[in-house]
Amino acid sequence: MTAALSAAVLLVASGCSDVTAPAAERPHDTPRITMSPAPDATAARPDKGLVVTAQGGTLTALTAYAGGVAVPGRFNATRTVWRSDWALAPDTEYVVTAAAGGLGGSTRLMGRFRTLRPRRSLDILAVTPNDHETVGVGMPIIVTFDQPVQDRKAVERALEVRATPLATPAAYGEHGATAYSKAYSGPVDGAWHWFDGTQVVFRTRKLWPARQSVVLTAHLAGVRSAPGTYGTADRTVSFAVGRRMVSTVDTRTHRMVVRRDGEVAQRMAISAGMATTREYTTTSGVHLTMEKGNPVRMISPGRSKGDPGYYDVMIGHAVRISNSGEYVHAKNNVWAQGRANVSHGCVNARPDQAAWFYDNALRGDPVVVTGTDRELEWNNGWGFWQLSWYEWIKGSALRAPGPTRAFILPAPPANLEISRDAHTELT
């Protein structure tokens, strides 16, 4: 019996010899690091960005440089992947150093590569507003390219807009700390709208919060806008949104009221278009002040010298509000102002009050006109507020505008009922 028991023990021992070892005793492979573009690549596509991945461990350190400048990027939640924030610059050499660690030990990777030289480049011709300009609360951002953009999603995704309240109560002038304490600091909902392949416009859903510092960064370097065409340089424009000044013009009562930060700053008797023809009818809708001149030469449209109704005059303190020749301007027309509409389509006011408006107007200040049967077209000047938010976001290539880290909120879900009425976003 003793011999049999011993044999049984030997059999059991023999049967247990292949049991898996505890986890702590298992052998582990050394982590492996890969990168895309691959090391030593000589014509990498810049629009794919830089991606570094660790297998069998986590990334413990990573640096990437292009010409001595650090490449911005971030790790995923598990630190197994690092991605560059934006596309890479074309025709540029990159140097990458990465380290990874795991149960099997640690490893390092050092590599360099070069991005391709594009056959054609995409550049920005113009940005409105100007760098360091102070604008009104209705101001759009208008970006014009030097050639048509085919991949609008890629380009729109590279356009980043950020806004922060101005930093100190001193920036609020006469309103001081009271206005500063009411500064809006939350996210601003906005979207880009493509009008054609060469121009895209950013508009907020509601008016800009007053007194904001806004930065547009077009991360275009390396963005593929069309086959063989890449952006070659980034572009940054910084501007400020000033006080909130909104004017309302009622052509029926012949009155204009200017409100600044919610308080009435000026009441003006005005005379609007005589409305004997379409061109002499002031347009109703949400206008934005676009430019100003003192004086401005105004010539009757579609008429030659000697024709009935022809005029060629110099007008003082003129603030343009559309591309169809509408201005708020000075005119010594006191007999009609506040009583009758006798102009050729403009809004005229007493010279001293028109001069005040001229001196205080910023580009992008809303001027809301009511009371006529001619509607301002959305593409007449900066009539962008004539489009409802629903109509506006239909012009976005992404429908969820802006990079995820921008201050812009994503577009609402497709099944959410959205008002199609214009002007409702002004308040």
Side-chain angles (χ1 to χ4, degrees), residues 350-423:
R350 202 175 68 205
D352 62 313
Q353 290 188 314
W356 178 93
F357 184 76
Y358 179 94
D359 291 340
N360 285 274
L362 298 173
R363 288 208 298 174
D365 284 338
V367 177
V368 185
V369 179
T370 58
T372 74
D373 60 3
R374 181 184 174 188
E375 192 78 5
L376 174 68
E377 301 87 355
W378 61 266
N379 57 354
N380 183 353
W382 295 344
F384 307 129
W385 290 95
Q386 290 297 97
L387 294 179
S388 69
W389 184 244
Y390 175 84
E391 293 168 318
W392 186 261
I393 61 174
K394 287 196 297 185
S396 166
L398 298 177
R399 296 280 302 196
T404 56
R405 290 180 304 283
F407 76 99
I408 307 162
L409 295 177
N415 61 352
L416 183 65
E417 181 63 28
I418 307 171
S419 170
R420 289 164 170 77
D421 297 330
H423 320 326

Side-chain angles (χ1 to χ4, degrees), residues 144-360:
T144 305
F145 301 99
D146 65 343
Q147 59 182 289
V149 172
Q150 292 185 27
D151 192 343
R152 297 182 181 183
K153 286 186 178 181
V155 171
E156 186 175 326
R157 195 176 290 117
L159 302 176
E160 182 183 29
V161 181
R162 290 181 177 270
T164 54
L166 293 177
T168 64
Y172 293 77
E174 61 185 283
H175 298 275
T178 301
Y180 176 69
S181 66
K182 297 179 180 178
Y184 187 93
S185 58
V188 179
D189 198 0
W192 292 95
H193 186 109
W194 292 87
F195 291 102
D196 55 44
T198 61
Q199 190 173 84
V200 63
V201 178
F202 178 86
R203 198 204 87 185
T204 47
R205 182 171 187 168
K206 298 182 179 181
L207 296 177
W208 287 103
R211 300 175 179 85
Q212 298 285 304
S213 174
V214 183
V215 179
L216 161 70
T217 306
H219 300 272
L220 288 181
V223 173
R224 184 175 180 267
S225 63
T229 304
Y230 293 83
T232 56
D234 294 342
R235 176 82 172 268
T236 298
V237 173
S238 303
F239 63 94
V241 178
R243 77 289 174 270
R244 178 188 176 104
M245 192 168 98
V246 179
S247 303
T248 55
V249 177
D250 190 333
T251 62
R252 293 160 298 193
T253 62
H254 319 293
R255 293 290 186 272
M256 176 173 173
V257 180
V258 183
R259 290 179 173 83
R260 191 162 52 191
D261 294 325
E263 299 177 359
V264 174
Q266 193 74 235
R267 297 184 186 274
M268 303 159 63
I270 59 93
S271 181
M274 63 181 73
T276 53
T277 64
R278 175 175 172 79
E279 65 198 270
Y280 290 166
T281 303
T282 306
T283 57
S284 287
V286 183
H287 305 70
L288 296 178
T289 54
M290 301 173 63
E291 62 180 359
K292 51 188 179 180
N294 182 35
V296 169
R297 185 182 182 186
M298 298 187 184
I299 305 173
S300 53
R303 288 172 170 79
S304 301
K305 191 172 182 178
D307 291 344
Y310 173 82
Y311 60 87
D312 183 349
V313 293
M314 301 297 290
I315 299 295
H317 294 109
V319 180
R320 180 187 285 276
I321 59 173
S322 79
N323 274 351
S324 57
E326 294 172 291
Y327 288 79
V328 176
H329 65 72
K331 189 171 179 64
N332 192 10
N333 204 25
V334 179
W335 65 268
Q337 291 159 359
R339 298 177 179 84
N341 294 323
V342 298
S343 83
H344 295 108
C346 292
V347 174
N348 63 63
R350 202 175 68 205
D352 62 313
Q353 290 188 314
W356 178 93
F357 184 76
Y358 179 94
D359 291 340
N360 285 274

